[in-house]
Amino acid sequence: MLIMKFGGTSVGSSERIKEVGRLINDAKTKIVVLSAMGGVTNILVEICEHFRHQNPQGALSLIEVLSDKYKGVIDSLYSSAESRVRVTAFVQEKMDYIESFKDELFSDFEEKCVLALGELISTEMMKVHLAEIGVATVKLPALDFMVTNKFGEPDLERISESLKKLLSQYPDTKLFLTEGYICRNAYAEIDNLKRGGSDYTASILGACIDAKEVQIWTDIDGMHNNDPRIVEGTSPVRNLHFDEAAELAYFGAKILHPTCIHPAKMQNVPVRLLYTMDPSAPGTLISNVIEPEKIKAVAVKDGITTIKVLSTRLLLAHGFLSRIFEVFERHQTPIDLVTTSEVAVTVAIDNQSRLEEILSELKRFATVSIDNNMSIICIAGDLNWKNVGFEADIIKALEDIPVRMISYGGSNHNVSMVIRTEDKIDALQKLSKKLFSPKK
């Protein structure tokens, strides 16, 4: 069985929905995971913000905008009046549900219920479209099987058990539809998967049923070897190891969330990134296969602050490192990179929300200085320390650019450097020229 996931852009208009319908209409058995239409979740978030701030009129205006958006798609998607009436009624029911909160207390629980509606609507729209063109489908409501535990993590055992039980009821069915992103939490309340959204749903499904492959259909032809928005002439990477893909996603590659492929990796289920606008393009295959001694791609993460913590003693005393890390743990601030010397530790973070409190605590036992407006550049590939020469190529490419930190050795798949954000474009272009241009 295949898992095919389509994001918001892929179902963002009547034309795109029809194209997805053609893509999934074949003889292969599959579960299709659908996101909300492009832009819908953002509107739902804004509506929730208005309700939270007791501005019902602002919410009602956006509900009208959302209704009009759906009406335009419905009018051009369906050829029969019966289909248009059915989907219009379904959408109106959801809009009425959102509107019902205008006089109610609005909490996190209500917000999650509202945010789930985008996926529920897009899946119903696709089901009716397929029925209209004569394609039989079965809807597997995500809220019937996708559950998380008390820590907010997917409960893979329960998901697998529930999903297999549902599938067994339809032994002759080839095409199943389900919603991405949404789930129920440990208390059976409507919730969402947060990290990775619908991609995470697809990966979890692939792991739970031991799928042949998880396909993630996007608006770009695979993971590129550099940021195509910044660097000209980038090209798709045809094969990536799971760890290489995770490193690139964590450090800025927007096509994937860093944690979303973890379930598929654990079950050794390949993940393929494909291009909705050109289904014939080979895309990027992510698996547990490593291509030896090859640098694959470069990614960049902005909004970085580096914090240098200098010991007030001549050498790093016993317990100094643990005291530093405990400060960040107390303030729930992850550390992206860390480097050490005999008297100092420098860390890089991308969450500055608790920065003042962190600095205040660190200054009680150390001298502290910071650098803002920094970026992390990640170079990913088979970077095992026994492979010689790649460090020299990376350093040579950046020989004219000031480097604040270099982190290497924590992973076999990644070398990371912190530079000023103002140098980012120059750095990415020079790395592409040095690492990916044809050798003369």
Side-chain angles (χ1 to χ4, degrees), residues 55-229:
N55 179 17
Q57 196 55 50
L60 293 175
S61 297
L62 285 175
I63 292 170
E64 186 175 348
V65 169
L66 193 54
S67 296
D68 289 343
K69 179 182 178 73
Y70 281 123
K71 183 179 184 303
V73 174
I74 290 168
D75 288 344
S76 57
L77 177 58
Y78 302 107
S79 58
S80 74
E82 181 183 356
S83 296
R84 288 194 292 272
V85 168
R86 174 179 167 179
V87 178
T88 298
F90 185 88
V91 171
Q92 188 59 52
E93 176 190 323
K94 305 306 178 188
M95 297 301 108
D96 290 344
Y97 173 72
I98 303 174
E99 190 173 331
S100 70
F101 293 113
K102 66 180 184 297
D103 299 317
E104 303 290 335
L105 179 67
F106 199 82
S107 67
D108 287 345
F109 173 77
E110 285 77 21
E111 179 173 6
K112 288 171 181 176
C113 292
V114 169
L115 294 182
L117 299 180
E119 278 71 20
L120 293 171
I121 292 172
S122 63
T123 305
E124 178 67 12
M125 291 176 71
M126 179 62 74
K127 180 173 175 57
V128 175
H129 166 64
L130 291 171
E132 192 175 66
I133 63 175
V135 179
T137 61
V138 169
K139 189 190 293 187
L140 300 174
L143 298 177
D144 287 354
F145 65 85
M146 188 63 67
V147 292
T148 57
N149 59 27
K150 63 181 180 179
F151 303 108
E153 297 296 330
D155 190 332
L156 297 183
E157 186 174 340
R158 286 182 61 196
I159 294 169
S160 181
E161 181 181 330
S162 299
L163 184 58
K164 288 176 180 177
K165 185 177 179 180
L166 283 170
L167 291 171
S168 69
Q169 299 174 25
Y170 308 99
D172 300 323
T173 299
K174 292 289 187 181
L175 179 55
F176 298 91
L177 302 179
T178 193
E179 304 91 358
Y181 176 63
I182 64 177
C183 65
R184 290 193 186 274
N185 59 28
Y187 310 101
E189 299 167 334
I190 293 176
D191 210 326
N192 56 66
L193 294 172
K194 302 175 184 68
R195 300 170 301 177
S198 297
D199 290 352
Y200 204 17
T201 299
S203 182
I204 292 166
L205 293 179
C208 286
I209 65 170
D210 196 22
K212 179 182 177 182
E213 184 174 278
V214 173
Q215 297 179 354
I216 297 177
W217 292 79
T218 70
D219 57 356
I220 188 171
D221 56 338
M223 181 92 74
H224 277 230
N225 61 8
N226 210 323
D227 190 335
R229 299 166 300 180

Side-chain angles (χ1 to χ4, degrees), residues 237-241 244 285 287-296 380-384 387 412-413:
V237 181
R238 295 308 177 201
N239 295 279
L240 281 171
H241 188 275
E244 294 169 344
L285 179 65
S287 68
N288 276 317
V289 177
I290 190 81
E291 287 188 271
E293 301 184 36
K294 187 172 182 180
I295 293 178
K296 294 295 188 65
D382 178 27
L383 304 180
N384 188 290
N387 300 334
N412 285 334
H413 305 284

Side-chain angles (χ1 to χ4, degrees), residues 220-437:
I220 188 171
D221 56 338
M223 181 92 74
H224 277 230
N225 61 8
N226 210 323
D227 190 335
R229 299 166 300 180
I230 296 175
V231 179
E232 292 184 1
T234 65
S235 58
V237 181
R238 295 308 177 201
N239 295 279
L240 281 171
H241 188 275
F242 279 114
D243 292 338
E244 294 169 344
E247 297 281 7
L248 291 167
Y250 184 79
F251 288 107
K254 302 300 184 186
I255 194 171
L256 273 180
H257 190 280
T259 61
C260 76
I261 56 175
H262 181 72
K265 174 189 173 183
M266 292 298 99
Q267 289 298 116
N268 198 23
V269 176
V271 175
R272 194 181 297 272
L273 309 180
L274 292 165
Y275 187 29
T276 313
M277 313 303 175
D278 182 9
S280 64
T284 298
L285 179 65
I286 305 171
S287 68
N288 276 317
V289 177
I290 190 81
E291 287 188 271
E293 301 184 36
K294 187 172 182 180
I295 293 178
K296 294 295 188 65
V298 177
V300 63
K301 187 177 188 179
D302 295 329
I304 299 298
T305 294
T306 63
I307 305 171
K308 181 178 181 180
V309 187
L310 179 65
S311 174
T312 51
R313 303 185 183 187
L314 292 178
L315 296 174
L316 291 182
H318 173 73
F320 183 69
L321 279 174
S322 65
R323 291 185 72 184
I324 293 172
F325 293 136
E326 284 168 2
V327 171
F328 288 91
E329 183 178 1
R330 273 195 297 277
H331 293 286
Q332 299 180 328
T333 302
I335 294 173
D336 287 331
L337 299 179
V338 58
T339 58
T340 65
S341 70
E342 73 278 11
V343 295
V345 176
T346 300
V347 300
I349 63 172
D350 66 350
N351 180 357
Q352 289 87 25
S353 62
R354 306 293 294 276
L355 182 59
E356 291 304 315
E357 296 95 323
I358 289 169
L359 295 178
S360 178
E361 284 200 41
L362 291 173
K363 287 176 182 178
R364 295 174 190 172
F365 59 88
T367 301
V368 181
S369 60
I370 68 170
D371 291 297
N372 291 311
N373 302 316
M374 310 296 282
S375 296
I376 296 175
I377 290 184
C378 163
I379 300 96
D382 178 27
L383 304 180
N384 188 290
W385 68 273
K386 296 178 182 178
N387 300 334
V388 298
F390 62 82
E391 308 100 321
D393 286 341
I394 294 168
I395 297 298
K396 183 67 176 176
L398 301 180
E399 63 182 350
D400 298 324
I401 294 175
V403 176
R404 176 65 184 83
M405 294 172 66
I406 300 176
S407 178
Y408 167 60
S411 162
N412 285 334
H413 305 284
N414 164 19
V415 173
S416 294
M417 300 186 175
V418 179
I419 63 170
R420 298 176 303 197
T421 299
E422 64 189 78
D423 296 323
K424 175 183 70 174
I425 295 176
D426 191 22
L428 292 179
Q429 292 172 343
K430 287 180 175 177
L431 283 166
S432 264
K433 183 176 181 181
K434 182 66 177 176
L435 301 178
F436 305 126
S437 294

